[in-house]
Amino acid sequence: MTNDDLNRHEPIVTDLARTRPRLAIVVPCFNEELVIQETVRRLVVILRDLREKGQIASESFLYFVDDGSIDNTWSTLRELNKSEREVKALKLSRNFGHQNAVLAGLLTVRHRADCVISLDADLQHDEQAIYSFLDKYRQGADIVYGIRRNPGNVPISKKLFSSAFYWLMSSMGAKVIKDHPDYRLISAKVLDTLADYKEVNVFLRGIFANMGFKSEVVYFDVHERLAGTTHYSWTKMIGLALDGVTSFTVAPLRMIAIGGVLITLGALAISVFIVVSALRGKVVPGWASTVLPIYVLGGLQIMIIGLVAEYIGKIYSEVKQRPRFISEQELS
Protein backbone atom coordinates (compact mmCIF):
# COMPACT_ATOMS: atom_id res chain seq x y z
CA MET A 1 0.00 0.00 0.00
CA THR A 2 1.37 3.41 -0.97
CA ASN A 3 1.49 6.57 1.11
CA ASP A 4 -1.26 8.00 -1.10
CA ASP A 5 -3.50 5.06 -0.21
CA LEU A 6 -2.82 5.55 3.50
CA ASN A 7 -3.58 9.26 3.32
CA ARG A 8 -6.74 8.59 1.34
CA HIS A 9 -8.17 6.42 4.11
CA GLU A 10 -7.10 8.54 7.09
CA PRO A 11 -10.11 10.05 8.87
CA ILE A 12 -10.46 13.81 8.80
CA VAL A 13 -10.08 15.05 12.37
CA THR A 14 -11.71 18.34 13.38
CA ASP A 15 -10.93 20.34 16.50
CA LEU A 16 -14.26 20.12 18.30
CA ALA A 17 -12.85 22.18 21.17
CA ARG A 18 -12.84 25.10 18.72
CA THR A 19 -15.76 24.39 16.40
CA ARG A 20 -18.21 22.98 18.95
CA PRO A 21 -16.73 23.67 22.39
CA ARG A 22 -18.06 22.83 25.82
CA LEU A 23 -18.97 26.31 27.01
CA ALA A 24 -19.29 27.36 30.64
CA ILE A 25 -20.69 30.78 31.50
CA VAL A 26 -19.48 31.89 34.95
CA VAL A 27 -21.67 34.45 36.72
CA PRO A 28 -20.62 35.86 40.13
CA CYS A 29 -23.56 36.89 42.32
CA PHE A 30 -23.90 38.96 45.46
CA ASN A 31 -27.42 39.77 46.69
CA GLU A 32 -28.95 39.44 43.21
CA GLU A 33 -32.32 37.91 44.09
CA LEU A 34 -34.18 40.62 42.15
CA VAL A 35 -32.50 39.85 38.82
CA ILE A 36 -31.22 36.28 39.02
CA GLN A 37 -34.28 34.62 37.51
CA GLU A 38 -34.28 36.94 34.50
CA THR A 39 -30.53 36.48 34.11
CA VAL A 40 -30.96 32.71 34.04
CA ARG A 41 -33.85 32.94 31.57
CA ARG A 42 -31.87 35.05 29.09
CA LEU A 43 -28.69 33.01 29.34
CA VAL A 44 -30.54 29.70 29.02
CA VAL A 45 -32.19 30.99 25.83
CA ILE A 46 -28.75 31.80 24.39
CA LEU A 47 -27.25 28.45 25.43
CA ARG A 48 -30.10 26.49 23.84
CA ASP A 49 -29.96 28.58 20.67
CA LEU A 50 -26.21 27.98 20.34
CA ARG A 51 -26.72 24.28 21.01
CA GLU A 52 -29.44 24.00 18.36
CA LYS A 53 -27.17 25.71 15.83
CA GLY A 54 -24.40 23.24 16.62
CA GLN A 55 -22.05 25.96 17.84
CA ILE A 56 -21.52 24.56 21.35
CA ALA A 57 -21.55 21.07 22.87
CA SER A 58 -24.68 19.71 24.50
CA GLU A 59 -23.02 19.60 27.93
CA SER A 60 -22.45 23.38 28.02
CA PHE A 61 -23.79 25.02 31.17
CA LEU A 62 -24.22 28.11 33.35
CA TYR A 63 -22.20 28.34 36.55
CA PHE A 64 -23.32 30.84 39.19
CA VAL A 65 -21.05 31.70 42.12
CA ASP A 66 -22.87 33.00 45.20
CA ASP A 67 -20.33 35.27 46.88
CA GLY A 68 -21.78 35.16 50.40
CA SER A 69 -25.18 36.67 49.60
CA ILE A 70 -27.41 37.48 52.57
CA ASP A 71 -30.66 37.59 50.58
CA ASN A 72 -32.48 34.79 48.73
CA THR A 73 -29.97 34.46 45.89
CA TRP A 74 -28.84 30.96 46.90
CA SER A 75 -32.32 29.60 47.54
CA THR A 76 -33.40 30.93 44.14
CA LEU A 77 -30.42 29.24 42.48
CA ARG A 78 -31.33 25.97 44.20
CA GLU A 79 -34.81 26.10 42.69
CA LEU A 80 -33.47 27.03 39.27
CA ASN A 81 -30.98 24.15 39.47
CA LYS A 82 -33.93 21.77 39.81
CA SER A 83 -35.95 23.25 36.94
CA GLU A 84 -33.20 24.15 34.43
CA ARG A 85 -30.63 21.46 33.66
CA GLU A 86 -28.12 24.06 32.43
CA VAL A 87 -27.92 25.79 35.81
CA LYS A 88 -25.06 24.83 38.16
CA ALA A 89 -23.97 26.83 41.18
CA LEU A 90 -21.32 27.24 43.85
CA LYS A 91 -21.81 28.84 47.26
CA LEU A 92 -18.84 30.46 48.96
CA SER A 93 -18.62 30.39 52.76
CA ARG A 94 -18.60 34.20 52.96
CA ASN A 95 -18.16 37.27 50.80
CA PHE A 96 -14.67 37.10 49.27
CA GLY A 97 -15.13 39.91 46.78
CA HIS A 98 -15.96 40.05 43.08
CA GLN A 99 -12.51 39.11 41.75
CA ASN A 100 -12.22 36.06 43.98
CA ALA A 101 -15.77 34.99 43.13
CA VAL A 102 -14.93 35.08 39.41
CA LEU A 103 -11.70 33.21 40.12
CA ALA A 104 -13.59 30.57 42.12
CA GLY A 105 -15.92 29.94 39.20
CA LEU A 106 -13.14 29.80 36.63
CA LEU A 107 -10.98 27.37 38.60
CA THR A 108 -13.92 25.15 39.57
CA VAL A 109 -15.07 24.64 35.96
CA ARG A 110 -11.51 24.41 34.70
CA HIS A 111 -11.68 20.72 33.68
CA ARG A 112 -15.31 20.78 32.59
CA ALA A 113 -15.16 23.24 29.69
CA ASP A 114 -13.17 24.04 26.56
CA CYS A 115 -13.80 27.76 26.99
CA VAL A 116 -15.37 29.94 29.68
CA ILE A 117 -17.16 33.29 29.51
CA SER A 118 -17.49 35.39 32.65
CA LEU A 119 -20.03 38.19 33.03
CA ASP A 120 -21.89 39.99 35.81
CA ALA A 121 -25.33 38.92 37.02
CA ASP A 122 -26.95 42.36 36.83
CA LEU A 123 -27.63 42.12 33.05
CA GLN A 124 -25.65 45.27 32.29
CA HIS A 125 -23.27 43.25 30.11
CA ASP A 126 -25.03 42.65 26.80
CA GLU A 127 -25.50 38.89 26.67
CA GLN A 128 -25.90 38.98 22.87
CA ALA A 129 -22.15 39.61 22.62
CA ILE A 130 -21.64 35.94 23.55
CA TYR A 131 -22.17 35.03 19.89
CA SER A 132 -19.31 37.34 18.87
CA PHE A 133 -17.09 35.98 21.64
CA LEU A 134 -17.50 32.47 20.26
CA ASP A 135 -16.85 33.64 16.69
CA LYS A 136 -13.49 35.07 17.80
CA TYR A 137 -12.73 31.89 19.73
CA ARG A 138 -13.42 29.71 16.69
CA GLN A 139 -11.04 31.92 14.72
CA GLY A 140 -8.24 31.01 17.11
CA ALA A 141 -8.32 33.57 19.93
CA ASP A 142 -7.54 32.26 23.42
CA ILE A 143 -8.69 35.43 25.20
CA VAL A 144 -11.54 37.64 23.98
CA TYR A 145 -12.00 40.91 25.85
CA GLY A 146 -15.37 42.58 26.11
CA ILE A 147 -14.91 46.33 25.62
CA ARG A 148 -17.59 48.81 26.63
CA ARG A 149 -18.86 50.69 23.59
CA ASN A 150 -20.56 53.20 25.89
CA PRO A 151 -20.02 53.88 29.61
CA GLY A 152 -23.66 53.34 30.50
CA ASN A 153 -25.68 55.26 33.05
CA VAL A 154 -22.96 55.81 35.67
CA PRO A 155 -22.15 59.00 37.61
CA ILE A 156 -19.59 61.35 36.09
CA SER A 157 -17.43 60.89 39.20
CA LYS A 158 -17.05 57.16 38.51
CA LYS A 159 -16.30 57.82 34.85
CA LEU A 160 -13.52 60.22 35.85
CA PHE A 161 -12.20 57.74 38.42
CA SER A 162 -12.13 54.98 35.80
CA SER A 163 -10.29 57.18 33.30
CA ALA A 164 -7.78 58.23 35.97
CA PHE A 165 -7.20 54.60 36.95
CA TYR A 166 -6.44 53.45 33.39
CA TRP A 167 -4.16 56.45 32.88
CA LEU A 168 -2.32 55.71 36.13
CA MET A 169 -1.83 52.04 35.26
CA SER A 170 -0.57 52.87 31.77
CA SER A 171 1.77 55.61 32.98
CA MET A 172 3.31 53.19 35.48
CA GLY A 173 3.96 50.57 32.82
CA ALA A 174 1.23 48.09 33.82
CA LYS A 175 -0.62 46.54 30.89
CA VAL A 176 -4.41 46.78 31.12
CA ILE A 177 -7.19 46.86 28.53
CA LYS A 178 -9.04 50.18 28.66
CA ASP A 179 -12.81 50.03 29.26
CA HIS A 180 -12.67 46.27 29.81
CA PRO A 181 -14.74 44.96 32.73
CA ASP A 182 -14.74 41.30 33.77
CA TYR A 183 -16.64 40.28 30.63
CA ARG A 184 -14.39 37.99 28.63
CA LEU A 185 -13.89 34.58 27.08
CA ILE A 186 -10.87 32.46 27.91
CA SER A 187 -9.82 29.08 26.55
CA ALA A 188 -8.93 25.95 28.51
CA LYS A 189 -5.26 26.68 27.80
CA VAL A 190 -5.58 30.05 29.54
CA LEU A 191 -7.44 28.44 32.44
CA ASP A 192 -4.58 26.01 32.97
CA THR A 193 -2.16 28.94 33.06
CA LEU A 194 -4.41 30.89 35.43
CA ALA A 195 -4.25 27.99 37.89
CA ASP A 196 -0.50 28.62 38.21
CA TYR A 197 -1.09 32.15 39.53
CA LYS A 198 -1.05 31.92 43.32
CA GLU A 199 -1.28 35.56 44.42
CA VAL A 200 -3.92 36.42 46.99
CA ASN A 201 -4.64 40.00 45.88
CA VAL A 202 -6.27 39.05 42.60
CA PHE A 203 -6.63 41.53 39.74
CA LEU A 204 -7.86 39.44 36.82
CA ARG A 205 -7.88 42.26 34.28
CA GLY A 206 -4.16 42.67 34.72
CA ILE A 207 -3.40 38.94 34.89
CA PHE A 208 -5.05 38.13 31.57
CA ALA A 209 -3.64 41.20 29.84
CA ASN A 210 -0.12 40.14 30.79
CA MET A 211 -0.36 36.47 29.80
CA GLY A 212 0.53 37.04 26.16
CA PHE A 213 -1.90 34.60 24.52
CA LYS A 214 -3.57 35.44 21.23
CA SER A 215 -6.38 37.86 22.01
CA GLU A 216 -9.22 39.69 20.30
CA VAL A 217 -11.79 42.26 21.41
CA VAL A 218 -15.56 42.44 21.14
CA TYR A 219 -17.42 45.70 21.69
CA PHE A 220 -20.71 45.60 23.59
CA ASP A 221 -23.34 48.02 24.81
CA VAL A 222 -23.83 48.61 28.53
CA HIS A 223 -27.47 48.19 29.55
CA GLU A 224 -29.21 49.68 32.54
CA ARG A 225 -29.52 47.45 35.55
CA LEU A 226 -32.83 45.57 35.44
CA ALA A 227 -33.53 45.86 39.17
CA GLY A 228 -31.85 46.75 42.43
CA THR A 229 -28.80 48.92 42.89
CA THR A 230 -25.12 48.43 42.19
CA HIS A 231 -23.09 46.63 44.84
CA TYR A 232 -19.82 48.12 43.61
CA SER A 233 -19.24 50.89 46.11
CA TRP A 234 -16.50 53.52 46.10
CA THR A 235 -14.65 51.48 48.71
CA LYS A 236 -14.62 48.40 46.48
CA MET A 237 -13.60 50.45 43.45
CA ILE A 238 -10.67 52.01 45.29
CA GLY A 239 -9.67 48.62 46.71
CA LEU A 240 -9.68 47.09 43.21
CA ALA A 241 -7.61 49.98 41.89
CA LEU A 242 -5.06 49.54 44.69
CA ASP A 243 -4.85 45.81 43.99
CA GLY A 244 -4.28 46.57 40.33
CA VAL A 245 -1.51 49.07 40.99
CA THR A 246 0.30 47.10 43.69
CA SER A 247 0.00 43.74 41.90
CA PHE A 248 1.45 44.76 38.55
CA THR A 249 3.90 47.59 39.12
CA VAL A 250 6.48 48.66 41.71
CA ALA A 251 6.47 52.19 40.32
CA PRO A 252 4.87 53.69 43.48
CA LEU A 253 7.71 52.27 45.59
CA ARG A 254 10.26 53.68 43.22
CA MET A 255 8.51 57.04 43.33
CA ILE A 256 8.89 57.02 47.12
CA ALA A 257 12.60 56.30 46.80
CA ILE A 258 13.00 59.02 44.16
CA GLY A 259 11.08 61.43 46.40
CA GLY A 260 13.48 60.69 49.23
CA VAL A 261 16.44 61.45 46.97
CA LEU A 262 14.88 64.74 45.87
CA ILE A 263 14.20 65.76 49.47
CA THR A 264 17.78 64.93 50.38
CA LEU A 265 19.07 67.04 47.50
CA GLY A 266 16.78 69.84 48.62
CA ALA A 267 18.18 69.59 52.14
CA LEU A 268 21.73 69.83 50.76
CA ALA A 269 20.73 72.91 48.77
CA ILE A 270 19.32 74.46 51.96
CA SER A 271 22.59 73.61 53.71
CA VAL A 272 24.52 75.53 51.08
CA PHE A 273 22.10 78.44 51.45
CA ILE A 274 22.59 78.45 55.24
CA VAL A 275 26.39 78.41 54.91
CA VAL A 276 26.30 81.29 52.45
CA SER A 277 23.88 83.22 54.70
CA ALA A 278 26.16 82.60 57.69
CA LEU A 279 29.13 83.99 55.83
CA ARG A 280 27.08 87.10 55.06
CA GLY A 281 25.95 87.37 58.65
CA LYS A 282 22.25 86.87 57.83
CA VAL A 283 21.31 83.87 59.97
CA VAL A 284 18.32 83.47 62.28
CA PRO A 285 19.68 82.07 65.56
CA GLY A 286 18.74 78.42 66.14
CA TRP A 287 16.92 78.03 62.80
CA ALA A 288 19.63 76.00 61.07
CA SER A 289 20.25 73.60 63.95
CA THR A 290 16.51 72.89 64.20
CA VAL A 291 15.31 72.73 60.59
CA LEU A 292 18.33 71.30 58.80
CA PRO A 293 18.48 67.97 60.70
CA ILE A 294 14.74 67.48 60.12
CA TYR A 295 15.11 67.83 56.34
CA VAL A 296 18.30 65.81 56.07
CA LEU A 297 17.20 62.94 58.28
CA GLY A 298 13.65 62.98 56.88
CA GLY A 299 14.93 62.71 53.31
CA LEU A 300 17.34 59.92 54.18
CA GLN A 301 14.64 57.99 56.05
CA ILE A 302 12.17 58.20 53.18
CA MET A 303 14.83 57.12 50.70
CA ILE A 304 15.86 54.15 52.85
CA ILE A 305 12.26 53.12 53.55
CA GLY A 306 11.56 53.28 49.83
CA LEU A 307 14.48 51.02 49.04
CA VAL A 308 13.51 48.52 51.76
CA ALA A 309 9.87 48.64 50.60
CA GLU A 310 11.02 47.66 47.11
CA TYR A 311 12.12 44.32 48.49
CA ILE A 312 9.33 43.93 51.03
CA GLY A 313 6.76 44.49 48.28
CA LYS A 314 8.16 41.58 46.30
CA ILE A 315 8.35 39.31 49.34
CA TYR A 316 4.83 40.32 50.37
CA SER A 317 3.36 39.11 47.08
CA GLU A 318 5.07 35.73 47.39
CA VAL A 319 4.83 34.53 50.97
CA LYS A 320 1.08 34.81 51.73
CA GLN A 321 -0.66 31.49 51.21
CA ARG A 322 -4.13 32.16 52.60
CA PRO A 323 -7.03 30.70 50.55
CA ARG A 324 -8.52 33.12 48.03
CA PHE A 325 -11.96 31.59 48.42
CA ILE A 326 -13.64 28.81 50.41
CA SER A 327 -16.38 26.69 48.83
CA GLU A 328 -19.30 25.72 51.06
CA GLN A 329 -21.75 23.97 48.75
CA GLU A 330 -22.06 23.09 45.05
CA LEU A 331 -25.08 22.35 42.88
CA SER A 332 -24.22 20.14 39.91
Side-chain angles (χ1 to χ4, degrees):
M1 183 178 291
T2 65
N3 288 336
D4 290 339
D5 293 330
L6 287 172
N7 292 335
R8 187 179 299 115
H9 294 286
E10 283 181 353
I12 298 176
V13 180
T14 59
D15 188 358
L16 289 179
R18 285 285 177 183
T19 59
R20 196 165 177 265
R22 295 173 299 163
L23 171 66
I25 299 179
V26 171
V27 187
C29 310
F30 178 65
N31 294 342
E32 299 288 2
E33 64 175 339
L34 297 178
V35 300
I36 199 68
Q37 291 193 29
E38 179 63 15
T39 301
V40 168
R41 186 191 69 79
R42 293 189 188 183
L43 293 178
V44 165
V45 168
I46 288 179
L47 271 187
R48 291 176 180 174
D49 181 53
L50 288 167
R51 189 183 297 124
E52 289 174 3
K53 293 178 178 178
Q55 296 183 7
I56 60 173
S58 59
E59 59 266 36
S60 299
F61 59 96
L62 306 176
Y63 200 79
F64 292 84
V65 180
D66 183 2
D67 187 23
S69 298
I70 57 176
D71 62 359
N72 294 318
T73 297
W74 182 247
S75 59
T76 303
L77 286 172
R78 275 202 309 243
E79 296 301 318
L80 290 167
N81 173 255
K82 296 175 183 177
S83 60
E84 305 288 352
R85 69 182 183 89
E86 294 90 352
V87 176
K88 321 292 181 185
L90 175 70
K91 180 178 175 58
L92 302 184
S93 61
R94 63 171 176 83
N95 179 252
F96 285 87
H98 180 268
Q99 294 291 283
N100 285 318
V102 176
L103 182 69
L106 295 178
L107 295 183
T108 305
V109 305
R110 174 184 167 197
H111 298 298
R112 310 179 199 175
D114 299 311
C115 62
V116 180
I117 293 176
S118 62
L119 76 162
D120 290 346
D122 56 15
L123 297 174
Q124 289 188 288
H125 295 166
D126 182 11
E127 69 277 4
Q128 296 299 318
I130 290 174
Y131 293 93
S132 299
F133 278 104
L134 287 170
D135 287 340
K136 298 290 186 182
Y137 173 74
R138 280 189 287 270
Q139 293 168 15
D142 285 305
I143 305 176
V144 184
Y145 300 104
I147 307 295
R148 288 186 289 255
R149 184 179 286 114
N150 60 298
N153 187 23
V154 298
I156 186 65
S157 57
K158 287 192 174 182
K159 293 178 184 178
L160 292 174
F161 179 85
S162 177
S163 298
F165 167 71
Y166 286 114
W167 173 84
L168 182 64
M169 291 289 286
S170 298
S171 63
M172 290 186 175
K175 185 178 180 181
V176 289
I177 309 298
K178 191 175 187 298
D179 295 328
H180 165 60
D182 287 291
Y183 189 17
R184 70 181 70 86
L185 177 148
I186 57 175
S187 68
K189 183 196 305 184
V190 177
L191 273 177
D192 289 339
T193 303
L194 178 65
D196 293 331
Y197 283 73
K198 304 301 182 182
E199 60 235 54
V200 176
N201 296 308
V202 180
F203 184 63
L204 293 174
R205 302 178 197 182
I207 289 175
F208 290 121
N210 284 272
M211 279 187 176
F213 290 105
K214 182 179 179 181
S215 62
E216 295 286 350
V217 300
V218 166
Y219 292 91
F220 70 93
D221 294 316
V222 178
H223 296 161
E224 291 213 14
R225 187 181 176 89
L226 185 67
T229 58
T230 180
H231 304 299
Y232 225 69
S233 64
W234 273 101
T235 301
K236 292 182 178 180
M237 286 181 62
I238 294 172
L240 180 63
L242 288 174
D243 282 343
V245 171
T246 56
S247 295
F248 288 92
T249 176
V250 293
L253 299 178
R254 289 175 179 155
M255 290 169 62
I256 292 173
I258 292 171
V261 172
L262 293 176
I263 292 174
T264 303
L265 293 175
L268 293 175
I270 292 175
S271 301
V272 173
F273 172 76
I274 292 172
V275 171
V276 172
S277 298
L279 294 175
R280 294 179 178 179
K282 299 178 180 179
V283 178
V284 177
W287 183 86
S289 60
T290 302
V291 175
L292 188 58
I294 294 176
Y295 278 97
V296 173
L297 293 176
L300 289 173
Q301 286 174 342
I302 294 175
M303 181 174 62
I304 293 170
I305 290 173
L307 292 174
V308 173
E310 183 87 27
Y311 292 93
I312 293 177
K314 293 178 180 178
I315 296 170
Y316 175 80
S317 63
E318 295 293 335
V319 299
K320 293 198 305 181
Q321 295 296 321
R322 285 175 287 180
R324 295 169 292 185
F325 58 87
I326 300 173
S327 302
E328 180 178 326
Q329 185 178 352
E330 185 175 12
L331 304 175
S332 58

